[in-house]
Amino acid sequence: MAIHYQREKRIFTLQTEHTTYQMKVDDFGFLLHLYYGGSISGDMDYLLTYYDRGFSGNPADVGDNRTYSMDVLPQEYPVSGVGDYRNSALVIHNVDGSDCCDLRYVSCEIKEGKYGLPGLPAVYAEKEEAQTLEITLEDGVNGVQVRLLYGVLEKEDIITRSAVIVNCGKEEIVVEKAASSCLDFLTGEYDLLSFYGRHAMERNLQRAEIGHGSYAIGSRRGTSSHQYNPAVILAEKGATENAGSCYGMVFVYSGSFLFEAEKDQYEQTRAIMGLQSEYFHYPLREGEKLVVPETILAYSENGLTALSQKFHRCIREHICRGKYSRQSRPILLNSWEAAYFNFNGATILKLAKSAAELGIDMVVMDDGWFGKRDDDNSGLGDWHVNEEKLGCTLGELIRGVNAAGVRFGIWIEPEMVSENSDLYREHPDWAMQIPGRKPVRGRNQLMLDFSREDVRKLIFERICGILDQGNIEYIKWDMNRSIAEVYSAVNYPGKVTYDYMLGVYDFLEKLLARYPDLFIEGCSGGGGRFDAGMMYYTPQIWCSDNTDAVDRLRIQYGTSFFYPVSTVGSHVSASPNHQTGRSTSLHTRGVVAMAGTFGYELATDSLSEEEKEEIKIQIVQYKKYEELIQNGNYYRLSNPFHDACAAWMFASEDKKRALLNVVLLENHGNMTITYVKLKGLASDALYEDAETGERYYGSALMEGGLPMPAEKVEYPAYQKEFRMVTA
Ligand code: GLA
């Protein structure tokens, strides 16, 4: 049993293989947090202390006891208006104008299996793999009920949290802020690891001390964003990849979010993950409810690598769905960097033929095949094949590609409309615009109001109309701007960002129901919506529009803290690189792209014979390592932001096979030697370098490391397979 409830003491204990989470309903009905961390035995309520604290008020129930204050006690779901002056998880605006919600314990229920969330992505599990705890709290005055949901995946060391806000009162309330998780720490000095970035340079790691005051990251863009990823780590001071306590919080949501970390006056730390409160005013009438997207929580007492591996497993096996979640992915050749908008059917066929020759599985026709779309200023919304441009029907093209022995995929961007499109001319009110104001354009396009069912319905029909024209096995679902006008012609503006996201999820769910074998890769100008929410529908996401191998080392390093390699869309592109102008060898580009789902994004039909031969070998190599890369344990061996090399490896669960990958970043006169220490091997086992036959003990490779060659080339890459052998 992962969940225990001690009825007399009203203590809840959630137990996973290596962690314990505990909370208690106290004499006044408040739900207090007691502990989250490494496994412990016994009750942790002895940690609660009570002292008379100046300017920290006391609830009326406690009478003249001045030692009891919500401003000091650790809580499960802090609310506004009850004397806790720290950040709240929930802010309710009442009909009388007050912002107050005083939640007290009502009941609990323990169920087998993992809860699901209507309309939202969430961790899933078999009935015997998980348990659910539902705790109901209620405000006796406004009638608001909050159902706190806890999912416990014991074996995976994962706890999930969500909250359902229900208006059981008579009057309308407005939810002004809602989070799904709060972690209150009584002790500890923490660093916050967050992942910031920009278009084409996503998920850079920032590590900064959580000091006094409140520090927030988030997105107001209607997407999880390139700028801040909705996933953070609180690491004990000094925690490293291999040692120290750290907590991870991953929000399973793709829209605007808010994370807040705060150290309070008593050196206690609070971390809250939830919906963005700006542009959000969600009214609930009697009987209506709001489901807050869930947060996945994990704890590691052995540093960051172990924490990342828990998230990798959870996302790969309990978020990603469909036949492709665990199956081998097609190696793609995408037309974008090969031809941009400048192609016709013959171009795609030529790419398909060269793909077949090289051993590539699928060709993807990117942007530019529909409506009037010869650049990115027009045509979005007009989901009709431009047969004139292609010089054939889509069906003919697909049959040609398949006849060449290659599968076919296509790019779409359903959430958008160009002002220069028939769709916009017919339905200008479908675009998100504030009446009387000129729109903010992004990439010269507007957002369609996906909070509206009628809008989604027509786009759905049009997209199905395309998918039904032939054997389309893959789509790249793109989204190329941020929401600026949080407005809808028919929906209340305060509901728009959330309802929009639910609309996108609804569309994707319906699409997958109609085409269960369709493989969808997510994309938002690369990694602008790279989150666990999208991964529920799109088990692979284009990681960044930046395909430069050296920049990708950093982008993929940041991404690796939470997201498994199987979700990371990564391609070999041309050199010099189109985004940076940097030149790297084909080998280096291949090694870097193999830290993802692997594919190509260049004009394979105009490569030299030598390059073609190299690519053929690269593909054979990748297929040999694929299982290890996609499902093995991932280890970061260096920090490419600081170290002279980027190094990472994959090791099989049984430690019998491992693949080391290194790219050297520095080159100077009379160069120093870089030693890379491996991880995840069996210390006393003997390993053989699959290429050279040289043998080393696991302990030697992990403690002494391997010297990398000092070659006179820029950004050389090395890939070495090790196999366990008997002496
Ligand atoms: C976005 C994507 C690219 C490409 C273009 C097409 O930028 O991230 O990969 O599909 O759109 O317009």
Side-chain angles (χ1 to χ4, degrees), residues 336 341 366-367 411 443 476 478 480 523 525-526 542 545:
W336 183 242
F341 291 101
D366 209 284
D367 197 356
W411 178 98
R443 210 191 190 199
K476 176 174 171 187
D478 212 338
N480 279 314
C523 179
W542 184 227
D545 268 352

Side-chain angles (χ1 to χ4, degrees), residues 664-689:
L664 298 183
L665 299 171
E666 303 264 341
N667 206 353
H668 306 286
N670 196 9
M671 189 55 190
T672 51
I673 301 301
T674 298
Y675 292 82
V676 177
K677 293 184 179 177
L678 279 69
K679 289 183 184 170
L681 303 176
S683 292
D684 43 14
L686 199 55
Y687 288 87
E688 187 171 276
D689 180 324

Side-chain angles (χ1 to χ4, degrees), residues 154-171:
E154 197 173 350
K155 280 243 153 49
E156 306 291 358
D157 260 339
I158 290 288
I159 292 174
T160 65
R161 287 193 59 181
S162 175
V164 183
I165 323 293
V166 194
N167 184 359
C168 297
K170 293 261 169 287
E171 309 284 359

